[in-house]
Amino acid sequence: MVSLAPAATPAHDRSDNSCEDDSLASLKDAGRSADSRRMVEKRSGLGLFAFYVVATLVPILALGVVLARTYREDLDEQGLHDAGEISSIVAEATVSPELSGDTLTNGLTAEERAGLVKSLEPILREGTALRLRLRDRVGHVVFDPERPNAAPFGPRNNEVVEALTGKDVRLRTHLNTDAADHARTAGTAAVEVYEPVRASTGSHFVGVMEIYVPYGPIARSIDQAYRSMTTLLAIGLLVLWALSGAITWSVTRKLRRSNAENRFLAKRDPLTRMANRFAIVEDVDANLRRLGVDHGMTVAILDIDGFTEINEVLGHANGDEFLRHVARIVQASAGRTGFTARIGADQFAIARATCSNPTMASVIRGIRNALLDELELDGVTLTAEFTVGFVDGDATVGASELLRRAGVACRAAKQVNAPVLSYEPSQEGFDADRLTLVAELRHAIDDGQLVLHYQPKVNAADGAVTSVEALVRWQHPTRGLLAPDVFVPAAESTELIIGLTDWVVDRACAQAAAWVALGMPLPIAVNVSARCLRDHEFADRMFATLRRHELSTDLIAIEITETAVIADPERAAATLRRLAERGMGVAIDDFGVGYTSLAHLDRLPITELKIDREFVSRMALGAGAGGDAVVRAVVSLGHGLGMTVVAEGVEDDATLSLLAEIGCDVAQGYAIARPAPAEVFEAWLHTRRAPAESAVSSPA
Ligand code: C2E
Ligand code: CA
Ligand code: CA
């Protein structure tokens, strides 16, 4: 187990900076690649739109052409129809009144001819008709104003026959193209209409008028109508196309945006808007590839302690607010060069280039400090603590695996109550081991495999034994004597710790009673875990055990850690008060490694402060080196609060005398005696009390 330590040698700094640059560059790369991704998306969006433009333009153009052509045909038809109208008027108003006979087959009378020449003259002169002939019922020309006196001429004519059967015979043609014209060169464009004519007296058709209506004016008006119509059509279709294009553009843009938003959300934790596990794996993998094998990354997982309780007690809305608060701190502390994510309900991940500056250790320290600033939710003041697992690795390991390893380290840290642990392969299968251990421990308690060892606490000034601490061991059938570190943390994570503690209290009471019977009353301290303090019945069971062994409460004390109190301050305080009211001593164990302020402890009935052995061991450096500063401070603090101050982990005589010198009340440690079974401890005690062997010695 390696705990994170700040390390910043100047040599490191240099590489840190280069690495920092790398990290920054990588971020910029990430940003750039996001930019270029957006560009590519935009381009493919534009491509799609261009395709749409072409794909819709072709049918719209085709529609335009078809409509224009149909319209043109209608116009042409209309032109012919107009020419037809003109010819009927000419036939009705000009020709018919001049004809008196039954049929034209026999030719015209001179009178008829003269009348026709006269009445048709203005029509031909003004150009209403270009040419005009009268034909008999089979098509011979019987009258032509150009040759008014000619005998009937020209071949028979089919159009005449058709016209007489009621068909509209209107042809676009040119002058001089009729057989009757004897191959004169083709003249002006015209509409040739065959119009049946009646005589002024009869109701039946006597022949057919062949009339050439000039096509020029008709064509001009057709062209004009066609032009304005096609212009309108083109504008209309263009507007339609532009409109549908605009609608499509806006719809595709909205779709693209919602697509992008969906993609964004798929990689975000909706509560904190932080990246989620997928996103950080992707980002870290990209960064690892970029860093290559020379530079790796450190991946840490932060698991908030006791979050379930916050949720249960303060409600989910406050739980969410609390998580957002943590998220803000994690993001701010990780800085611009770090990758952060929320990867579980109360788990956050941070990844940074291993050699980046500040180090991951100081980032985590920053987060820890920021989270100690109290957050008030619903009138309840909260400070958050968390457990960290971390691991270093490069591209060969990959982001997924790094996260998994950090998770393994984090779980291992939780199980051994360490605030921070780095990953080690031995932690793999830790859970499985732990489960087996917990299962075995259940039987071990009933089967009598647990034993208590006792370690004395002595007056630092005169060496007199003031009390003992009971420390549990497990005489495992196959693994030998197990230290509590191996199985107590596992037991603490389950209800099993309650049974274990009950067993320890019972055995300690029995031992204390036995020593009373031997005439040497010695208070015994037992270690009590957080779960026991939360248990409403714990105090009652303790009192019952004391009664069963007819022991007074001052002969049993308890040792608790700061974290045990913090897990549930209210209930812990209630249990402690009940015990203290009856005169039971309460010691704060491992003082100094936790994160609570003394202010919290002030409100609790603490009688003893046990300075953690980490600080005590530093005293060996000597007073001059400042190794005793913390111990001195804690001693005066504890005294100020009316507590007995105990130094644990005293491993040498120099430390022992220094402790006496600075006024520490009690000492405990290998320098005095190692924890040992009751009979070994008793033997040690006897030799120690014998006047000849007043020197300090160890039983183990
Ligand atoms: P602790 O309460 O801090 O117990 C003191 C530990 O320090 C003991 O380890 C003891 O053997 C060790 N120790 C004593 N003097 C010295 C010294 O001079 N130098 C060094 N390096 N170590 C010294 P142990 O017995 O392995 O216990 C470890 C921890 O297990 C205890 O720490 C306590 O937290 C837990 N524990 C032990 N017994 C019980 C128990 O009955 N119930 C509970 N809940 N926890 C227990
Ligand atoms: Ca202890
Ligand atoms: Ca301790």
Side-chain angles (χ1 to χ4, degrees):
M1 295 183 221
V2 179
S3 59
L4 272 176
T9 61
H12 248 93
D13 279 351
R14 235 180 306 120
S15 62
D16 281 350
N17 288 339
S18 76
C19 190
E20 183 85 339
D21 295 344
D22 284 354
S23 235
L24 265 176
S26 79
L27 267 186
K28 280 176 200 145
D29 276 0
R32 230 177 287 138
S33 76
D35 278 352
S36 64
R37 209 166 38 234
R38 269 194 291 279
M39 283 282 285
V40 168
E41 276 164 15
K42 195 164 184 180
R43 231 176 284 152
S44 78
L46 281 173
L48 254 178
F49 185 68
F51 171 76
Y52 165 85
V53 166
V54 173
T56 52
L57 195 57
V58 169
I60 281 191
L61 280 179
L63 177 67
V65 167
V66 168
L67 283 178
R69 200 174 280 172
T70 315
Y71 184 60
R72 179 81 213 196
E73 278 165 13
D74 284 353
L75 283 177
D76 288 344
E77 189 60 37
Q78 183 66 41
L80 294 180
H81 180 77
D82 289 353
E85 291 287 289
I86 294 170
S87 16
S88 338
I89 292 166
V90 172
E92 298 280 325
T94 317
V95 178
S96 289
E98 303 301 334
L99 301 179
S100 51
D102 267 354
T103 167
L104 298 182
T105 314
N106 303 328
L108 296 175
T109 61
E111 196 184 337
E112 283 173 323
R113 284 178 200 279
L116 280 173
V117 169
K118 191 174 168 218
S119 58
L120 291 176
E121 190 274 335
I123 290 171
L124 291 167
R125 178 169 32 84
E126 281 164 20
T128 307
L130 295 173
R131 176 167 299 155
L132 202 150
R133 292 176 184 134
L134 281 185
R135 293 185 187 248
D136 64 16
R137 294 182 62 93
V138 291
H140 302 298
V141 178
V142 291
F143 175 76
D144 183 346
E146 290 175 24
R147 291 186 272 169
N149 298 315
F153 65 87
R156 297 163 69 94
N157 182 302
N158 286 338
E159 279 101 352
V160 167
V161 181
E162 280 177 24
L164 285 172
T165 58
K167 271 195 183 163
D168 286 338
V169 184
R170 299 157 184 165
L171 314 159
R172 270 186 58 197
T173 179
H174 287 85
L175 280 186
N176 307 338
T177 47
D178 192 273
D181 292 319
H182 296 299
R184 285 191 276 180
T185 46
T188 323
V191 179
E192 183 184 12
V193 182
Y194 288 82
E195 187 74 32
V197 286
R198 296 180 178 83
S200 57
T201 48
S203 61
H204 67 281
F205 297 118
V206 292
V208 169
M209 177 185 76
E210 179 191 6
I211 177 171
Y212 289 81
V213 179
Y215 190 64
I218 296 177
R220 267 194 298 283
S221 79
I222 285 178
D223 283 349
Q224 201 177 359
Y226 181 71
R227 259 199 309 279
S228 35
M229 178 61 198
T230 45
T231 312
L232 256 176
L233 184 70
I235 291 175
L237 287 178
L238 214 71
V239 167
L240 185 77
W241 175 71
L243 214 70
S244 77
I247 291 169
T248 311
W249 174 251
S250 112
V251 169
T252 42
R253 203 176 50 177
K254 269 187 201 134
L255 277 176
R256 235 185 11 249
R257 277 200 191 144
S258 89
N259 253 350
E261 172 80 358
N262 283 345
R263 260 203 309 279
F264 176 78
L265 287 180
K267 290 182 178 180
R268 290 284 129 174
D269 159 43
L271 179 70
T272 59
R273 305 289 279 181
M274 281 176 107
N276 63 16
R277 181 184 284 271
F278 301 113
I280 196 168
V281 164
E282 225 175 77
D283 290 345
V284 169
D285 265 335
N287 205 45
L288 282 172
R289 275 196 300 276
R290 214 195 51 75
L291 289 172
V293 282
D294 295 336
H295 295 292
M297 291 185 82
T298 304
V299 174
I301 286 182
L302 276 67
D303 190 304
I304 307 292
D305 300 336
F307 175 67
T308 327
E309 278 144 26
I310 294 178
N311 248 351
E312 278 169 8
V313 177
L314 297 180
H316 286 263
N318 282 320
D320 288 353
E321 184 50 45
F322 172 76
L323 286 174
R324 279 192 283 267
H325 165 73
V326 178
R328 279 191 294 273
I329 290 174
V330 168
Q331 280 173 306
S333 308
R336 288 195 314 122
T337 55
F339 299 94
T340 57
R342 179 171 171 234
I343 56 165
D346 55 356
Q347 278 197 341
F348 295 85
I350 303 178
R352 311 178 88 242
T354 302
C355 51
S356 64
N357 199 13
T359 59
M360 182 68 94
S362 57
V363 167
I364 285 172
R365 252 199 318 279
I367 298 174
R368 224 181 264 290
N369 287 336
L371 284 179
L372 282 182
D373 284 345
E374 293 165 344
L375 171 74
E376 206 182 291
L377 284 178
D378 260 6
V380 177
T381 312
L382 287 178
T383 60
E385 295 207 23
F386 54 86
T387 306
V388 180
F390 72 98
V391 65
D392 290 344
D394 57 27
T396 57
V397 184
S400 268
E401 176 61 13
L402 284 175
L403 269 177
R404 193 193 66 79
R405 288 182 186 176
V408 167
C410 186
R411 265 197 303 286
K414 284 231 159 187
Q415 280 153 17
V416 300
N417 276 334
V420 181
L421 268 193
S422 89
Y423 170 79
E424 280 177 23
S426 62
Q427 292 159 353
E428 301 282 358
F430 197 95
D431 288 352
D433 276 2
R434 204 187 108 244
L435 284 177
T436 326
L437 213 63
V438 168
E440 287 179 343
L441 187 57
R442 258 177 243 285
H443 302 292
I445 299 172
D446 299 334
D447 293 354
Q449 291 174 14
L450 298 187
V451 285
L452 284 186
H453 281 192
Y454 298 93
Q455 186 181 33
K457 299 178 186 180
V458 300
N459 186 313
D462 62 15
V465 177
T466 58
S467 61
V468 295
E469 179 178 0
L471 294 157
V472 72
R473 272 103 183 86
W474 179 359
Q475 190 61 59
H476 192 278
T478 55
R479 296 168 66 177
L481 190 69
L482 298 181
D485 285 342
V486 179
F487 61 92
V488 168
E492 276 177 336
S493 65
T494 71
E495 289 295 308
L496 201 54
I497 191 63
I498 307 251
L500 185 144
T501 309
D502 286 350
W503 180 88
V504 171
V505 170
D506 181 68
R507 288 299 83 211
C509 284
Q511 187 58 63
W515 283 334
V516 170
L518 286 174
M520 43 175 257
L522 257 183
I524 301 181
V526 294
N527 293 281
V528 173
S529 311
R531 228 178 251 269
C532 301
L533 294 183
R534 283 204 297 263
D535 177 0
H536 290 298
E537 287 149 17
F538 179 72
D540 286 336
R541 281 204 307 279
M542 249 192 128
F543 294 140
T545 311
L546 284 161
R547 270 198 305 277
R548 203 167 53 244
H549 293 283
E550 296 173 343
L551 206 62
S552 63
T553 31
D554 60 333
L555 285 180
I556 289 291
I558 64 165
E559 293 188 5
I560 55 168
T561 58
E562 294 165 84
T563 33
V565 179
I566 286 157
D568 188 345
E570 296 300 311
R571 272 151 84 178
T575 303
L576 292 182
R577 257 180 244 118
R578 295 205 53 210
L579 296 174
E581 271 166 14
R582 302 273 204 99
M584 195 176 285
V586 176
I588 285 288
D589 210 349
D590 307 341
F591 184 75
V593 292
Y595 306 94
T596 29
S597 60
L598 264 180
H600 282 106
L601 303 182
D602 196 21
R603 283 179 248 133
L604 298 172
I606 311 290
T607 51
E608 193 175 290
L609 213 55
K610 294 186 76 175
I611 311 170
D612 191 73
R613 60 173 174 268
E614 196 190 315
F615 301 107
V616 176
S617 65
R618 274 191 226 157
M619 294 178 75
L621 296 173
D628 60 344
V630 177
V631 176
R632 274 178 199 276
V634 177
V635 166
S636 74
L637 251 156
H639 285 169
L641 291 166
M643 299 171 186
T644 303
V645 181
V646 181
E648 59 178 359
V650 181
E651 292 186 347
D652 55 79
D653 293 347
T655 303
L656 188 56
S657 42
L658 189 55
L659 283 166
E661 198 183 302
I662 64 179
C664 180
D665 307 298
V666 174
Q668 179 185 7
Y670 296 166
I672 300 144
R674 283 180 181 258
E679 56 282 7
V680 179
F681 166 73
E682 283 167 20
W684 171 83
L685 195 61
H686 275 114
T687 50
R688 190 176 165 83
R689 278 178 179 170
E693 298 183 43
S694 58
V696 174
S697 63
S698 171

